Amino acid sequence: MADWSAEQYSKFERERTIPALDLVNAIEAIGVQSILDVGCGPGNSTAVLKKRFPDVHIIGVDNSDVMLASARKKHPDLAFRKVDVPNELDEIGQKFDIVFSNACLQWIPNHTELLRKLMSLVNDGGVLAVQMPSQEKLPLRKLVQDVAASGTWTDKISVARKSNLLAESEYFDVLSEIASDFRLWETAYFHAMPNHEAIVEWYKSTGLRPYLEQLSDGDKAAFERDVLCAVEKAYSKQKNGEIIFRFPRLFFIAKK
């Protein structure tokens, strides 16, 4: 997959940061000395962690050169490092009181093994704190899949985006095996979007990427128009002209 666009991703930085803030605020802040931010992206989640834990050693890691360059530019006082997650996690060479990941793990397969590997980086008494979009409950995901499977796109888009997420019950079972205690919950965010185009712009930096990467520049624009048409039919406007973009997210905090 091509590298990320930090500029595109950051268009809705405030909305994307709110779940990171909620996850950070749910962590007990006693005796924390070190934190690893897995999939730090442009550094917004790392900055939230630093604000909550100002005197703690924090490292943000990501496998995207573009995202890391943006993170270092925006947050020159924070430490960032290129790490191929999950393949190079063992090379970090230390354990942490908090291993944190906001909106990253949904891109990585085999979560049963992945969570075990992440928990192995947590100090005894520390926590693994994770947030991921609840992909199967996001109407926009199904809408894009339907567009990709219709009309001329069936011949141009060969691979649809697959979900790597487990069911809630499966996460419960995995966490029961690797944690001494844990909390698992879901929050649905109701983002107020100014128009339908904004919803497509939001998704271009994440869920639309696997589809757009299979298309020429001309086809990308046409596919986006078809997605926009479907979005306009699926999402109605409120009285003030804004649109409610409902976005459910899964959270858990697991203690080692």
Side-chain angles (χ1 to χ4, degrees), residues 85-86 89 105 108-118:
V85 179
L89 284 175
L105 302 190
I108 304 172
N110 193 2
H111 278 203
T112 298
E113 179 60 30
L114 175 62
L115 296 186
R116 293 183 187 280
K117 182 171 288 190
L118 290 173

Side-chain angles (χ1 to χ4, degrees), residues 174-235:
V174 173
L175 295 173
S176 296
E177 294 175 355
I178 66 174
S180 61
D181 191 20
F182 65 91
R183 291 177 54 205
L184 178 67
W185 74 96
E186 185 176 77
T187 298
Y189 294 86
F190 291 75
H191 299 297
M193 307 299 276
N195 49 50
H196 293 101
E197 288 82 359
I199 295 177
V200 178
E201 282 297 307
W202 172 297
Y203 214 48
K204 275 175 66 175
S205 65
T206 55
L208 273 181
R209 292 178 68 233
Y211 300 91
L212 295 175
E213 288 176 354
Q214 301 178 59
L215 302 172
S216 66
D217 289 343
D219 282 341
K220 287 178 183 178
F223 183 71
E224 287 177 30
R225 288 194 296 270
D226 285 354
V227 170
L228 175 60
C229 182
V231 167
E232 290 173 339
K233 293 178 181 178
Y235 290 85

Side-chain angles (χ1 to χ4, degrees), residues 1-19:
M1 186 179 291
D3 208 340
W4 292 75
S5 168
E7 181 181 359
Q8 182 72 32
Y9 186 87
S10 297
K11 285 184 177 181
F12 300 94
E13 183 170 324
R14 176 182 175 276
E15 290 83 358
R16 296 188 191 279
T17 303
I18 292 172

Side-chain angles (χ1 to χ4, degrees), residues 27-235:
I27 300 172
E28 188 175 359
I30 298 176
V32 178
Q33 297 183 3
S34 58
I35 302 175
L36 177 68
D37 185 9
V38 178
C40 62
N44 53 317
S45 57
T46 320
V48 168
L49 285 162
K50 190 63 177 180
K51 186 174 181 179
R52 176 78 192 285
F53 303 97
D55 300 320
V56 171
H57 175 59
I58 303 175
I59 301 175
V61 299
D62 205 286
N63 64 0
S64 166
D65 291 321
V66 171
M67 286 293 197
L68 289 170
S70 178
R72 289 172 179 136
K73 182 178 180 180
K74 290 181 179 179
H75 310 286
D77 57 323
L78 300 178
F80 299 99
R81 176 176 168 185
K82 184 173 183 179
V83 173
D84 182 15
V85 179
N87 299 321
E88 296 177 352
L89 284 175
D90 294 338
E91 298 179 16
I92 294 175
Q94 68 178 99
K95 293 187 177 183
F96 301 83
D97 296 320
I98 298 173
V99 173
F100 182 94
S101 184
N102 178 68
C104 163
L105 302 190
Q106 71 273 13
W107 294 99
I108 304 172
N110 193 2
H111 278 203
T112 298
E113 179 60 30
L114 175 62
L115 296 186
R116 293 183 187 280
K117 182 171 288 190
L118 290 173
M119 187 61 90
S120 72
L121 298 177
V122 179
N123 285 322
D124 290 343
V127 298
L128 171 63
V130 172
Q131 180 275 122
M132 300 173 288
S134 299
Q135 295 173 330
E136 297 301 328
K137 298 181 181 180
L138 182 64
L140 183 58
R141 173 184 165 83
K142 178 65 164 55
L143 181 153
V144 172
Q145 289 176 332
D146 289 345
V147 172
S150 65
T152 60
W153 303 119
T154 55
D155 296 328
K156 296 182 177 182
I157 298 177
S158 59
V159 179
R161 182 186 173 193
K162 297 180 180 179
S163 175
N164 293 311
L165 268 64
L166 305 176
E168 289 98 336
S169 59
E170 293 175 303
Y171 283 116
F172 188 98
D173 288 342
V174 173
L175 295 173
S176 296
E177 294 175 355
I178 66 174
S180 61
D181 191 20
F182 65 91
R183 291 177 54 205
L184 178 67
W185 74 96
E186 185 176 77
T187 298
Y189 294 86
F190 291 75
H191 299 297
M193 307 299 276
N195 49 50
H196 293 101
E197 288 82 359
I199 295 177
V200 178
E201 282 297 307
W202 172 297
Y203 214 48
K204 275 175 66 175
S205 65
T206 55
L208 273 181
R209 292 178 68 233
Y211 300 91
L212 295 175
E213 288 176 354
Q214 301 178 59
L215 302 172
S216 66
D217 289 343
D219 282 341
K220 287 178 183 178
F223 183 71
E224 287 177 30
R225 288 194 296 270
D226 285 354
V227 170
L228 175 60
C229 182
V231 167
E232 290 173 339
K233 293 178 181 178
Y235 290 85

